Amino acid sequence: MPISLIPLPYAEDALAPGISADTLAIHHGKHHQAYVDKTNEAVAGTALADSPLEAIVVAARLDDQKLFNNAAQAWNHGFYWLSLSPEPTSPSGGLATAIDRDFGSLARLKAELAARGAAHFASGWVWLASDNGTLSIEETHDGDTLADRGKLPLLTIDLWEHAYYLDRKSERPKYLAAVTTDLLDWEFAAANLARAERWIYPG
């Protein structure tokens, strides 16, 4: 079956003022939808037509850059929506312990996420990831993903301009400050770490 656009796990206006309803409507309903549509068009009638999105990402990375870009972006966006929450959350369990051990404090982790995202050249993604329980901040460029890499993604922040331009113009640091201060879903990150398995795109 074709992959589908997964629904937002909250209302379009739920992340305001950090991320506006207008931004979410366009980002989810147009950009994410386009990646899903282009992925389905590319695999229609091929051996990948009934494959899960993760399998398409793995296969396309080897020899089809256009398909890889769209499939990876579809996966990244699904993971990004779940990395955000309109309700303040806090790290718990093993995640809280790992953050203190590897970053010194949650405040330092948030500051480093924001700084790495702000310094990232051009488009891409900044991730909190785990390598056998050791946490790190990773960056991927353009449409690249951690969906099929060695390190386990726990949460991600979109650095493409369409994630913040309507709200912040070209001021990416203001967007990152809003996301890292109030909108990251640490319960989602904690669940990913505890499960120690990659999130599976549900569409």
Side-chain angles (χ1 to χ4, degrees):
M1 293 181 60
I3 64 168
S4 59
L5 179 71
I6 67 173
L8 289 173
Y10 31 73
E12 285 183 348
D13 62 354
L15 303 180
I19 300 174
S20 70
D22 287 344
T23 289
L24 273 187
I26 293 173
H27 195 177
H28 175 257
K30 294 187 179 297
H31 289 282
H32 191 181
Q33 181 71 68
Y35 295 128
V36 167
D37 291 344
K38 289 176 182 178
T39 298
N40 285 328
E41 290 169 5
V43 301
T46 75
L48 292 172
D50 294 321
S51 298
L53 183 57
E54 291 76 15
I56 296 172
V57 169
V58 171
R61 186 186 285 278
L62 298 175
D63 59 9
D64 190 335
Q65 188 65 47
K66 183 177 179 180
L67 174 57
F68 174 79
N69 286 342
N70 284 293
Q73 283 288 75
W75 194 94
N76 287 353
H77 279 82
F79 194 77
Y80 172 61
W81 307 133
L82 294 179
S83 295
L84 304 175
S85 172
E87 300 294 334
T89 66
S90 298
S92 59
L95 177 63
T97 300
I99 288 172
D100 287 343
R101 181 194 65 218
D102 297 332
F103 292 95
S105 69
L106 179 60
R108 289 183 179 179
L109 169 55
K110 289 180 176 181
E112 187 170 342
L113 273 171
R116 291 281 294 273
H120 183 91
F121 181 74
S123 299
W125 301 80
V126 62
W127 308 76
L128 177 64
S130 169
D131 186 1
N132 292 319
T134 299
L135 304 186
S136 63
I137 293 175
E138 305 295 327
E139 298 173 48
T140 58
H141 291 279
D142 300 323
D144 203 359
T145 183
L146 293 187
D148 62 333
R149 296 295 188 93
K151 295 187 177 182
L152 175 72
L154 304 182
L155 55 75
T156 194
I157 304 174
D158 192 342
L159 302 178
W160 287 66
E161 276 199 341
H162 61 236
Y164 57 87
Y165 189 81
L166 286 180
D167 303 330
R168 312 288 176 178
K169 302 306 180 187
S170 60
E171 295 179 319
R172 185 193 289 173
K174 289 186 177 180
Y175 155 73
L176 288 164
V179 170
T180 56
T181 299
D182 296 319
L183 298 178
L184 290 177
D185 192 338
W186 297 104
E187 292 180 358
F188 176 64
N192 289 327
L193 181 64
R195 190 175 63 250
E197 295 178 355
R198 277 172 171 73
W199 172 77
I200 301 298
Y201 190 92

